[in-house]
Amino acid sequence: MTRLLKPNYDRSRLKPRLLHIGFGAFAKAHVMVFHDEMLHTEASDWGVVATRLHSGIEDLDRLDQSDGLYSVGEMSDDDLRLRQVGVLTKTLHPRRDGPDSLLNQIAEPELGVVTMTITEKGYCLSGGRLDLQNSGIRQDLISPASPETAIGVLVEGLSRRRNAGLSGLTILSCDNLPENGRLCQSAVLDFAEHRDPELASWIRSKCRFPCSMVDRITPAMTEESFSKLADALGYSDPNGVLCEPFRQWVIEDNFAGARPDWDLAGAEFVEDVAPFEEMKLRLLNGSHSFLAYLGALGDKETIADCMEDPILRAAVTRLMFDEQAPTLRVPQGVDIERYAKALLERFSNRALHHKTTQIASDGSQKLPQRLLAPVRQHLAEQHGWRLSSLAIAGWMLYCRGRSETGASLPVNDPLAARISEISMRTDGDAYVHELLSLEDVFGNDLPDNADFVESISSAYRTLQDHGVLKSLSNSL
Ligand code: CS2
């Protein structure tokens, strides 16, 4: 049986100083592991309150039943390391504990930092600003004291802090968005401005929204992964997660007050996170999306299955080196070639079983920063971007919900209803043109760019006529 690393710190000393919104698999395997490692290293009273806003009451109940303890298994092809994380002081769910429980927690004097993993769509953005047409935001502006969205929750919690004469907070976004802190700040300020301009100016002056780049591949748990974890532990842990051994966290050093010493656990505090975020979003996440759409269309179940296919492997390597890396501002001290090669290894980790259809979800939220931003650069500088065009057209074909052999593919996306309506009505060039008019995805510049429109239409036709592997091998 593999050895389990248990908390060596006094859990009874932990106070609720950090609140995490969106306590799912990624937070458990990433932010909380850094936090746990820090607590192993220094005597500290930074404890964590875990919350989820919508689904997940049962998950939090289960955590309560195990006194907030859960295990993380770090898996490579030939090793599995186990850690028991003990950072939690309590869990909260507004639908279980009442909306005030969470709002008042934000207004607790000892709280200093809020971390968030709420996924791209949780920020309710459109064109980098708060989407005032979003139904959740509209509802929260009507009844701000019982908010449903993360943005509404933050603003109401901060308003209570201000009314209580307390200090501001640091809100630390840990989602895969470029300049995630800036985006979070603009969503919060836009919302607050609509409620009360004085509250907005209090937030502007007292709170901080650092950007951060987070990285650890953490597939959704399945029955199979729970039983793999149970085999290693010798008992079953319904709260456990499995992930890869690699983890990275680069954080803008811009906090409103004290902060946890996550650097003791390997996190880097830097002045400018943007080049790190861009590198990760394009090289890792862009390549992930490329493999997810094209792999799933070709009936590949996991990312490691894709990496075993010589054509997909060669194609994703070329995408990284020829179409993604040249668009980057390389962060200081990083060797891009080594970074990309390490990614190819990480993607090949067979133990992870990371499903292509999981990564394929929410494409409308992911495409802009992962694939379209570099393409804009290629269009301006007249560089080739054939593989990116196949990935974007691959997303379009994926959105029709069928693989090349006719297997059904799940289309989970906030725009799914609109996309499905378009796909029932059109196909070919007409379908491509209608999808290109989704402004939140393609902006209003790309649909007007004749080169862009022609390249995507041609890539879509190629995929339909020749299939994924032939289209890719013709482009290598
Ligand atoms: C993936 C990410 O599902 C996805 O979209 O690309 O969750 C990826 O695994 C993480 O960002 C890795 O840090």
Side-chain angles (χ1 to χ4, degrees), residues 51-297:
T51 184
R52 303 209 14 184
L53 299 181
H54 306 292
S55 61
I57 294 185
E58 315 72 36
D59 296 338
L60 297 184
D61 286 345
R62 270 195 298 271
L63 273 165
D64 292 347
Q65 280 150 23
S66 63
D67 188 27
L69 289 165
Y70 67 88
S71 39
V72 176
E74 302 175 354
M75 289 185 303
S76 49
D77 282 335
D78 47 20
D79 196 16
L80 203 164
R81 298 191 167 210
L82 293 168
R83 162 191 294 270
Q84 185 178 58
V85 175
V87 302
L88 295 185
T89 56
K90 69 171 160 180
T91 71
L92 274 182
H93 198 294
R95 292 189 192 153
R96 180 189 70 183
D97 308 305
D100 282 336
S101 61
L102 174 57
L103 299 166
N104 292 339
Q105 187 69 48
I106 300 178
E108 279 294 328
E110 56 197 353
L111 193 78
V113 174
V114 177
T115 46
M116 298 204 296
T117 44
I118 55 174
T119 79
E120 295 88 343
K121 57 181 178 278
Y123 293 82
C124 307
L125 296 162
S126 171
R129 302 300 297 261
L130 186 67
D131 180 5
L132 294 168
Q133 301 314 315
N134 177 288
S135 57
I137 293 296
R138 281 165 61 166
Q139 187 52 45
D140 285 359
L141 282 168
I142 296 168
S143 35
S146 48
E148 291 277 322
T149 66
I151 301 303
V153 164
L154 286 171
V155 174
E156 175 60 16
L158 291 171
S159 161
R160 293 186 187 194
R161 272 190 93 79
R162 172 172 171 250
N163 294 341
L166 295 173
S167 60
L169 287 180
T170 299
I171 317 286
L172 177 55
S173 164
C174 301
D175 283 294
N176 286 320
L177 284 163
E179 304 219 59
N180 49 13
R182 267 351 127 251
L183 289 173
C184 179
Q185 179 178 34
S186 72
V188 166
L189 289 177
D190 284 347
F191 190 96
E193 201 70 55
H194 267 78
R195 275 187 59 176
D196 169 6
E198 282 183 13
L199 172 62
S201 78
W202 183 87
I203 295 175
R204 202 175 282 112
S205 70
K206 305 281 186 209
C207 296
R208 292 288 178 275
F209 297 82
C211 293
S212 82
M213 178 268 246
V214 292
D215 191 6
R216 178 165 246 190
I217 297 176
T218 311
M221 289 297 283
T222 58
E223 252 176 56
E224 194 194 338
S225 39
F226 276 118
S227 74
K228 201 186 257 188
L229 180 62
D231 285 347
L233 281 169
Y235 58 88
S236 60
D237 178 359
N239 299 304
V241 283
L242 290 179
C243 60
E244 66 170 338
F246 181 90
R247 62 177 157 90
Q248 189 178 13
W249 198 7
V250 185
I251 308 165
E252 183 186 340
D253 200 355
N254 175 25
F255 284 68
R259 60 160 164 75
D261 294 327
W262 290 312
D263 43 338
L264 295 176
E268 297 159 79
F269 288 105
V270 301
E271 208 175 297
D272 184 11
V273 179
F276 290 93
E277 283 182 318
E278 206 174 83
M279 172 180 78
K280 193 259 171 173
L281 283 169
R282 295 184 187 184
L283 279 179
L284 190 159
N285 298 111
S287 305
H288 244 178
S289 293
F290 175 93
L291 293 174
Y293 298 120
L294 296 171
L297 284 168

Side-chain angles (χ1 to χ4, degrees), residues 307-374:
M307 295 304 284
E308 277 182 7
D309 182 291
I311 295 176
L312 278 167
R313 188 180 177 99
V316 77
T317 308
R318 290 284 293 274
L319 175 84
M320 282 188 196
F321 283 98
D322 299 351
E323 298 185 22
Q324 303 279 36
T327 68
L328 299 174
R329 296 167 282 166
V330 178
Q332 238 194 338
V334 174
D335 175 342
I336 268 301
E337 200 177 314
R338 268 179 62 186
Y339 182 84
K341 284 189 174 151
L343 284 179
L344 295 168
E345 285 313 302
R346 290 169 62 194
F347 288 174
S348 308
N349 183 338
R350 285 213 65 80
L352 281 178
H353 216 77
H354 200 186
K355 293 209 167 74
T356 48
T357 48
Q358 184 192 344
I359 300 166
S361 66
D362 290 349
S364 70
Q365 308 281 307
K366 294 175 176 173
L367 244 46
Q369 55 277 17
R370 296 179 179 206
L371 290 159
L372 298 170

